[in-house]
């Protein structure tokens, strides 16, 4: 069993930066692929970035490449999402997700564990 807790969301102006964190409890964190998803009301949850158990990757969706950087610290059981050059369309609830595997998946249904989400709001 893995429990995930996100933090770091907030309100920022367009062009600004935020750093999200997701702390995991439970064993064998280093065996899990980790991912960030986001969701806005009325839309499906979508993949943002994913990283392999030992830091292999990361993989990003096209609209965040060059702006977002995902990393993990297995010693701290934590993953991060550094978000730069934020745009109003990045406004969403951001979720971290986990699955014991070696391959990074982009589908919501592929992840077993989810955090409660953290709100990111980017004003224009």
């Amino acid at each position: 069993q893995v429990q995930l807790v996100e933090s770091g969301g907030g309100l920022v102006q367009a062009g600004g930066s935020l750093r999200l964190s997701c702390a995991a409890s439970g064993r064998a964190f280093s065996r899990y692929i980790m991912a960030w998803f986001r969701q806005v009301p009325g839309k499906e949850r979508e993949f943002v970035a994913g990283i392999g158990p030992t830091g292999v990757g990361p993989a990003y969706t096209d609209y965040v490449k060059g702006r977002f950087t995902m990393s993990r610290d297995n010693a701290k059981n934590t993953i991060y999402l550094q978000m730069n050059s934020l745009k109003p369309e990045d406004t969403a609830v951001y979720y971290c997700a986990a699955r014991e595997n070696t391959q990074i998946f982009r589908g919501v249904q592929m992840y077993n564990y989810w955090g409660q989400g953290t709100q990111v709001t980017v004003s224009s």
Side-chain angles (χ1 to χ4, degrees):
Q1 190 75 12
V2 175
Q3 293 183 327
L4 305 173
V5 179
E6 302 96 336
S7 61
L11 174 64
V12 65
Q13 289 188 331
S17 298
L18 281 175
R19 189 194 195 203
L20 304 184
S21 300
C22 174
S25 64
R27 300 181 178 180
F29 175 75
S30 61
R31 294 209 302 257
Y32 285 77
I33 56 169
M34 302 294 297
W36 289 99
F37 287 78
R38 67 187 186 187
Q39 189 171 23
V40 298
K43 293 190 176 181
E44 294 184 351
R45 195 169 294 187
E46 60 183 13
F47 175 85
V48 175
I51 193 166
T54 58
V56 172
Y60 301 96
T61 194
D62 286 346
Y63 43 80
V64 306
K65 283 181 180 177
R67 300 190 298 122
F68 291 10
T69 302
M70 184 176 182
S71 60
R72 69 188 293 162
D73 185 339
N74 285 350
K76 295 182 178 180
N77 280 17
T78 302
I79 62 169
Y80 306 96
L81 186 67
Q82 177 67 43
M83 304 186 296
N84 299 329
S85 301
L86 282 161
K87 305 175 181 180
E89 50 264 44
D90 293 317
T91 295
V93 177
Y94 283 72
Y95 298 89
C96 67
R99 173 184 172 133
E100 187 170 353
N101 208 293
T102 57
Q103 178 183 352
I104 299 170
F105 297 109
R106 296 178 180 244
V108 170
Q109 70 279 8
M110 301 304 290
Y111 289 84
N112 307 99
Y113 303 105
W114 292 87
Q116 81 290 347
T118 186
Q119 177 70 47
V120 171
T121 302
V122 184
S123 63
S124 57

